[in-house]
Amino acid sequence: MVQDHIDADQSTPLAAELAQNARRRRRLDKSALPSPPRTRIITVANQKGGVGKTTSTVNLAAALAKAGLHVLVIDADPQGNASTALGADHRSGTPSMYDVLIEGDTLASVLQTCPQFPSLVVAPATLDLSGAEIELVNMVSRETRLRRAIEDYIIHRNEAGLTRLDYILIDCPPSLGLLTVNAFTAGDEVLIPIQCEYYALEGLSQLIKTVELIREHLNPHLQLSTILLTMYDQRTNLARQVADEVREHFPRQTLATAIPRSVRVSEAPSHAQTVISYEPSSSGALAYREAAQEINQRAQPAGATR
């Protein structure tokens, strides 16, 4: 009855938005996401801070898991914000990505399951990871340690009879250091969140140049597959201009879905949740589910073999 009332009464902007969101949610709930033919490994990166990188990683992962897919999130950012949002313990001393990259432990030994989504597992980051940049410098095969760990884990899952992972999302620190290089070397795709604000494209050329260098020297399969517009406020001319500019420069990579500014998206991590479980009817949750659906519809990158 309440839902019918929302759909019927659209006489105010708020009521119209609620009705639209209700329709979007019903449409999304009816849409099952097919499993990709191979595990897609997506590195989420932007050396510019505050662009919604971690927020996008965890919410896209949760949206994919909610749709029934099997997802692994690797938190390669020493701040551990992705671990927090996914409800993973990442206190000092917890088995984490530090142990995988520096001590050579297996991914399987550090994984935790997201409480809200049983098909979503997390490799957490602790503060110990902040020293990994320095420790990696003198290590053998310093750029490929994450790639080998992922490859070994995929083999482990297969040998153990576990369901194949559909997606692996790697959350990078806001820098282009060795942790990010490891993430680029391990991935097949790069997803770049770009905020719809002034200087949105600042530093993007440096990031793309880094991707090209990684492709040339370490990972020939890597490609920039996706750009996600975040913090979009359709009421402002600036946001629309930035969105138009990004789409003009990257028409093939930029998703049609833009993530709006949302209080609920910002609140969710303080409850150790993503917005997908915290406030599933919010505009932010629906936008991330639509973005996940759009990403899933895109073809596997050419040359990817996992």
Side-chain angles (χ1 to χ4, degrees):
M1 291 293 293
V2 174
Q3 187 62 66
D4 292 341
H5 178 69
I6 290 174
D7 283 343
D9 179 13
Q10 299 186 37
S11 58
T12 67
L14 177 59
E17 181 181 354
L18 289 172
Q20 181 185 22
N21 285 351
R23 290 191 295 271
R24 291 167 68 192
R25 185 175 181 183
R26 287 198 298 270
R27 184 175 65 253
L28 286 163
D29 288 342
K30 292 177 182 177
S31 302
L33 297 187
S35 179
R38 302 180 185 89
T39 300
R40 291 178 64 180
I41 305 177
I42 302 176
T43 300
V44 185
N46 192 327
Q47 80 273 25
K48 202 169 182 295
V51 300
K53 174 182 56 60
T54 296
T55 299
S56 296
T57 302
V58 298
N59 283 300
L60 288 172
L64 292 165
K66 182 178 177 64
L69 301 179
H70 289 78
V71 185
L72 162 62
V73 170
I74 295 176
D75 191 351
D77 186 345
Q79 296 177 81
N81 292 335
S83 304
T84 298
L86 295 172
D89 182 7
H90 61 108
R91 292 171 292 184
S92 184
T94 301
S96 70
M97 284 307 301
Y98 176 86
D99 302 286
V100 173
L101 293 172
I102 304 301
E103 303 297 337
D105 291 0
T106 63
L107 267 175
S109 68
V110 307
L111 294 183
Q112 301 178 38
T113 302
C114 177
Q116 288 80 31
F117 302 102
S119 65
L120 172 54
V121 291
V122 189
T126 62
L127 280 176
D128 299 330
L129 195 60
S130 58
E133 292 275 7
I134 298 173
E135 294 181 64
L136 280 168
V137 169
N138 296 317
M139 299 189 78
V140 176
S141 302
R142 61 188 183 184
E143 302 96 347
T144 59
R145 296 179 72 84
L146 179 57
R147 180 170 70 189
R148 291 204 313 275
I150 290 174
E151 289 171 347
D152 289 346
Y153 180 62
I154 290 174
I155 293 170
H156 161 75
R157 284 185 71 100
N158 183 50
E159 292 177 344
L162 299 173
T163 304
R164 177 178 62 81
L165 288 169
D166 296 302
Y167 286 88
I168 299 175
L169 273 64
I170 308 172
D171 184 40
C172 297
S175 68
L176 295 177
L178 275 172
L179 290 174
T180 301
V181 169
N182 262 269
F184 282 153
T185 305
D188 297 317
E189 308 176 53
V190 177
L191 184 155
I192 303 178
I194 295 181
Q195 82 280 27
C196 295
E197 295 179 349
Y198 196 56
Y199 294 137
L201 298 176
E202 189 180 65
L204 189 58
S205 60
Q206 182 185 359
L207 180 56
I208 292 174
K209 188 176 296 184
T210 301
V211 171
E212 291 173 350
L213 286 171
I214 296 293
R215 185 167 58 233
E216 182 178 349
H217 297 287
L218 293 167
N219 182 5
H221 301 314
L222 186 67
Q223 62 178 258
L224 171 57
S225 67
T226 309
I227 290 178
L228 176 64
L229 298 169
T230 63
M231 305 177 194
Y232 181 70
D233 186 346
Q234 63 180 351
R235 299 170 299 179
T236 68
N237 289 330
L238 176 61
R240 292 195 297 271
Q241 289 168 0
V242 170
D244 290 344
E245 185 177 1
V246 172
R247 290 195 169 104
E248 180 183 348
H249 283 85
F250 303 96
R252 184 174 56 84
Q253 294 91 345
T254 307
L255 296 181
T257 303
I259 308 302
R261 285 194 173 276
S262 169
V263 173
R264 296 291 181 259
V265 170
S266 302
E267 287 177 349
S270 66
H271 297 270
Q273 293 188 53
T274 65
V275 74
I276 306 299
S277 59
Y278 175 67
E279 192 60 64
S281 296
S282 66
S283 58
L286 297 171
Y288 272 116
R289 289 181 67 186
E290 289 167 345
Q293 189 176 67
E294 196 174 344
I295 289 170
N296 190 68
Q297 289 170 348
R298 294 185 169 207
Q300 178 82 353
T305 57
R306 297 182 184 89

